[in-house]
Amino acid sequence: MYYRMIQQSFIDMENMFELLDESQEIRDIPDAKNIAVTNGKIEFRNVNFHYEESKKILKDVSFVVPAGQTFALVGHSGSGKSTIIRLLFRFYDVVSGRILIDGQDISLVKQESLRQQIGVVPQDTVLFNADIRYNIRYGNVDADVKQVEEAADNADIHERILSFPDGYNTVVGERGLKLSGGEKQRVAIARTILKNPQIVLLDEATSALDTKTERNIQTSLERVCENRTTIIVAHRLSTIIHAHQILVMKEGVIVERGTHDQLLQVNGFYADMWHQQLTKKEEAGNDKHNGTEDAGSINNDADAS
Ligand code: ADP
């Protein structure tokens, strides 16, 4: 038994050393400073980017999100929407052009300080196999019990948590499998509220939620975005009607931009997408009523899938 334990420990150590040897792709420049975010204005200036040289992904992308406004990115899958979010979080450096936050080039500041200022509500929330309180507190590890519960309340999940037999001590299971899709997203929203960043990046879930859940989540999201600069990667156009500006992407280029009404008047690519979604919704018709997502309990495994 000891022989096996020692052997396993050696294997684990080897794996750990391999991980430590991984070189960091994105490095801070020497004496990089912390970013100072005051208003949260975001600017993309002639940004070009590719993952592999043979395939250009973003081509001369420029836009400015004024402080506190909400911009939405729409376009078919593969058009480069998520890439914009990844660049802003500096998972990659741009090939040419600049990304500025409050006038500071993000490639010249400390990555850690940049990421502290940005809250992300991803499509798929990463949850730890620990209790819900711990999972929400991940947004700000210094938060006390009261702050965690306030954030949960704002994300419209507090009551739900209290209805679980173990309340905030409920363990969420491996990758949160005991929570439904809507609940997981609300945990992500609560984390972001707790983090209280000036900038919020939101990757809307593609998975179909039933109408009631969608509406509830929409309300909590609006609360998160209030007075914060927000960029939403939108899949359902109905959720971004009120965005200050919609950027329509096609093959790495912004082909149209404007408010919902302006874009409908242009009667171009966006208007096409809008009419397509409307038709789909009408076809789906009453099917939506079959959605059980929000009615499910924490043990509803059908939801967890
Ligand atoms: P969207 O969010 O609009 O669906 P993405 O920004 O995810 O699009 O992707 C844009 C393009 O970049 C796609 O063609 C995709 O195949 C490619 N891509 C995304 N991530 C990578 C990666 N890590 N390496 C290589 N190509 C990638």
Side-chain angles (χ1 to χ4, degrees):
M1 189 179 75
Y2 282 117
Y3 174 72
R4 260 191 293 135
M5 273 170 59
I6 292 170
Q7 202 183 27
Q8 188 57 49
S9 300
F10 271 105
I11 294 172
D12 289 347
M13 272 198 295
E14 255 172 54
N15 288 343
M16 190 181 74
F17 283 125
E18 259 175 44
L19 191 64
L20 291 176
D21 282 343
E22 278 288 325
S23 60
Q24 215 179 330
E25 279 174 47
I26 307 295
R27 289 171 188 280
D28 287 339
I29 55 158
D31 353 296
K33 297 218 166 45
N34 286 338
I35 192 165
V37 177
T38 43
N39 304 313
K41 176 180 156 198
I42 301 172
E43 181 174 359
F44 269 59
R45 209 180 273 172
N46 308 103
V47 171
N48 287 286
F49 178 75
H50 55 71
Y51 295 99
E52 284 145 29
E53 257 197 288
S54 54
K55 191 176 169 203
K56 304 266 181 279
I57 304 289
L58 295 184
K59 299 161 199 157
D60 202 29
V61 169
S62 297
F63 62 88
V64 180
V65 190
Q69 290 206 356
T70 298
F71 271 39
L73 297 169
V74 303
H76 292 309
S77 165
S79 55
K81 305 180 296 290
S82 311
T83 303
I84 289 189
I85 300 288
R86 285 180 211 133
L87 289 180
L88 201 48
F89 214 59
R90 207 166 157 219
F91 282 151
Y92 300 91
D93 274 326
V94 296
V95 173
S96 68
R98 287 173 13 119
I99 301 174
L100 307 155
I101 294 181
D102 282 342
Q104 300 151 84
D105 190 325
I106 64 166
S107 65
L108 307 178
V109 298
K110 277 196 193 146
Q111 294 167 58
E112 201 188 329
S113 69
L114 170 75
R115 290 178 190 153
Q116 264 168 8
Q117 302 292 341
I118 302 178
V120 182
V121 181
Q123 266 196 31
D124 223 351
T125 311
V126 180
L127 292 178
F128 302 105
N129 190 7
D131 60 46
I132 294 193
R133 186 179 288 111
Y134 179 92
N135 271 294
I136 294 178
R137 190 179 273 151
Y138 184 62
N140 172 10
V141 289
D142 298 324
D144 59 30
V145 172
K146 198 161 158 272
Q147 287 169 317
V148 169
E149 293 186 9
E150 267 171 22
D153 197 27
N154 272 319
D156 198 25
I157 193 178
H158 178 67
E159 296 296 325
R160 176 62 67 87
I161 295 173
L162 291 185
S163 74
F164 299 152
D166 293 326
Y168 277 85
N169 297 323
T170 307
V171 175
V172 301
E174 201 65 49
R175 272 175 280 124
L177 92 166
K178 289 191 200 159
L179 298 184
S180 71
E183 287 161 354
K184 273 197 243 183
Q185 213 174 27
R186 269 176 273 182
V187 169
I189 294 172
R191 274 181 186 169
T192 309
I193 292 175
L194 209 53
K195 185 171 178 181
N196 194 18
Q198 197 58 47
I199 294 169
V200 174
L201 307 178
L202 218 147
D203 204 344
E204 196 183 71
T206 36
S207 55
L209 300 175
D210 66 276
T211 324
K212 182 165 167 269
T213 311
E214 191 181 317
R215 214 176 302 128
N216 286 349
I217 289 191
Q218 197 56 36
T219 319
S220 336
L221 284 178
E222 275 163 22
R223 237 172 267 154
V224 181
C225 304
E226 227 169 44
N227 300 324
R228 297 191 169 105
T229 315
T230 310
I231 298 186
I232 307 178
V233 172
H235 303 287
R236 288 179 297 270
L237 303 183
S238 55
T239 59
I240 48 144
I241 294 176
H242 302 296
H244 292 97
Q245 183 140 177
I246 299 168
L247 307 175
V248 187
M249 309 260 322
K250 194 178 177 188
E251 291 164 19
V253 180
I254 299 177
V255 287
E256 287 172 17
R257 58 180 89 199
T259 61
H260 174 76
D261 291 337
Q262 287 166 347
L263 289 174
L264 283 187
Q265 270 178 7
V266 171
N267 207 11
F269 196 59
Y270 179 83
D272 269 356
M273 283 168 59
W274 175 253
H275 293 305
Q276 264 174 27
Q277 285 206 355
L278 276 189
T279 326
K280 256 192 221 153
K281 217 169 190 173
E282 273 160 23
E283 276 168 14
N286 295 333
D287 289 357
K288 279 273 177 191
H289 294 302
N290 297 331
T292 53
E293 214 263 353
D294 221 20
S297 71
I298 189 161
N299 291 321
N300 191 340
D301 279 346
D303 279 348
S305 66

